[in-house]
Amino acid sequence: MNGSSRLSAQEIADILRERIRGGALKAGDRLPTQAELAEEFGVERGTVRQALRALQDDGLLSNVSKGSPPRIAAPAPVREEPQPTMVGLAPRLTEAFSAPRVRIDAVCLTAESFMLAVGEPVRHIHESRIRPEAIDVRIMLPSRRINLAFPVPVEGRDAGDEDPVHERWLAQRNSQARVLQHNLQALRATHGIDVHVSFRALPFTPPVKLYLLNGEEALIGYYMLTRREEEWESQTLEMYDALGSASLLFSFAKRAGRRDQAFVEESQKWFDALWETITTDLTLS
């Protein structure tokens, strides 16, 4: 080919992508070498490398290394539709607890959803269906000392006034976290599992809930605010609050491709850095 008619890296990527999708190249097949592709398309190897990087970013190639041609990747799992937290969290926790060493990291407003969802993997452990060797859980919840963005009273209050909305949230935060901690730590006595549960106090209100499962999957749910009433100690509280159990959970799993893998890895780095920065352990009282 002459210089004016040479294919671009994007055009080569599109051609190879069509061969993969059309079945000419199947999962597990090796691509031709870069030299062979460069000769076929009449381009420099650098152009071929750019095309292969584009296919790799799309999750279409595996075994990408300098030593041998890459293989066609197996189709990525179909991404599930986002599910409400109370539907999607328990089965994913159960899958995560099937690993020999379990590591769950979480950032949330309260531990309610986590507390309820962990009941399923705990039941599976009691039924001897799964048997992890160790469980390490780290949870960050808002500090009792900050002014929360939510829940807050509909009617504002002057500084120093009692805030029953905050008191109600704090009571829930503490009781739910204690139940979660107890149910997990009890596995040490009943099944000899090495269990560690740690809490740290966030200096801000998290706008999302985040669960990181064994460093392989990230679940993120956005808090949606609503105005509602709640009975609390003979009072009717009007508040702006987030119903976390109804938040839709979006799943990002490393096995789903490079973009999901990058999201999981960056989320884990963010959590680890924040955990190390915050030195205040959460007081559940």
Side-chain angles (χ1 to χ4, degrees):
M1 294 184 184
N2 57 42
S4 61
S5 60
R6 283 189 176 182
L7 296 172
S8 68
Q10 184 60 55
E11 289 171 324
I12 295 172
D14 289 341
I15 293 171
L16 294 174
R17 193 178 287 109
E18 278 305 310
R19 292 179 184 177
I20 295 170
R21 290 173 177 168
L25 291 170
K26 298 179 176 61
D29 289 351
R30 283 195 182 277
L31 275 181
T33 65
Q34 291 184 15
E36 290 170 337
L37 290 171
E39 182 178 356
E40 176 185 353
F41 294 114
V43 297
E44 301 293 331
R45 289 194 189 185
T47 304
V48 170
R49 283 194 291 271
Q50 292 178 39
L52 297 184
R53 278 197 294 269
L55 296 177
Q56 183 181 2
D57 289 343
D58 288 344
L60 296 176
L61 299 182
S62 64
N63 195 36
V64 179
S65 67
K66 295 181 179 179
S68 60
R71 293 184 182 274
I72 307 304
V78 177
R79 186 186 296 280
E80 296 181 10
E81 292 294 320
Q83 296 176 308
T85 299
M86 293 309 297
V87 175
L89 183 56
R92 284 182 167 87
L93 283 178
T94 302
E95 181 181 352
F97 272 64
S98 300
R101 305 191 70 84
V102 180
R103 189 187 73 208
I104 310 294
D105 294 330
V107 178
C108 33
L109 184 65
T110 71
E112 179 181 20
S113 298
F114 198 170
M115 174 197 71
L116 295 172
V118 82
E120 186 168 330
V122 167
R123 176 172 58 82
H124 283 208
I125 291 172
H126 289 315
E127 294 173 351
S128 300
R129 296 168 64 179
I130 56 177
R131 179 60 167 80
E133 300 170 4
I135 299 171
D136 187 8
V137 174
R138 300 184 298 176
I139 307 172
M140 289 189 279
L141 300 170
S143 167
R144 64 183 300 158
R145 295 183 175 86
I146 67 171
N147 292 321
L148 291 172
F150 53 87
V152 292
V154 171
E155 298 294 334
R157 293 177 178 272
D158 295 331
D161 287 353
E162 291 185 359
D163 184 354
V165 171
H166 186 87
E167 292 172 5
R168 173 184 170 276
W169 164 81
L170 181 60
Q172 288 183 320
R173 186 205 72 172
N174 292 342
S175 62
Q176 293 160 1
R178 283 195 296 265
V179 170
L180 173 64
Q181 184 179 48
H182 170 78
N183 289 345
L184 288 173
Q185 290 182 338
L187 296 173
R188 182 189 298 272
T190 56
H191 295 276
I193 299 173
D194 184 18
V195 178
H196 296 276
V197 183
S198 307
F199 297 91
R200 289 202 175 159
L202 278 175
F204 58 87
T205 308
V208 299
K209 56 172 54 183
L210 174 68
Y211 305 97
L212 298 167
L213 313 183
N214 295 334
E216 293 296 324
E217 185 175 17
L219 301 172
I220 186 169
Y222 295 89
Y223 287 118
M224 302 298 291
L225 295 184
T226 184
R227 177 171 175 164
R228 67 192 190 93
E229 294 183 352
E230 191 74 35
E231 296 297 322
W232 172 255
E233 295 188 346
S234 303
Q235 302 179 68
T236 300
L237 304 180
E238 292 187 80
M239 68 185 79
Y240 294 109
D241 196 8
L243 301 179
S245 60
S247 298
L248 291 178
L249 279 184
F250 294 81
S251 170
F252 298 84
K254 282 187 175 181
R255 62 181 180 274
R258 287 178 60 84
R259 289 185 176 88
D260 277 38
Q261 177 179 345
F263 184 87
V264 174
E265 291 175 350
E266 289 304 314
S267 297
Q268 189 67 61
K269 288 178 184 178
W270 174 83
F271 184 97
D272 291 340
L274 186 58
W275 183 268
E276 292 302 320
T277 301
I278 298 173
T279 58
T280 305
D281 291 333
L282 197 73
T283 303
L284 299 177
S285 60

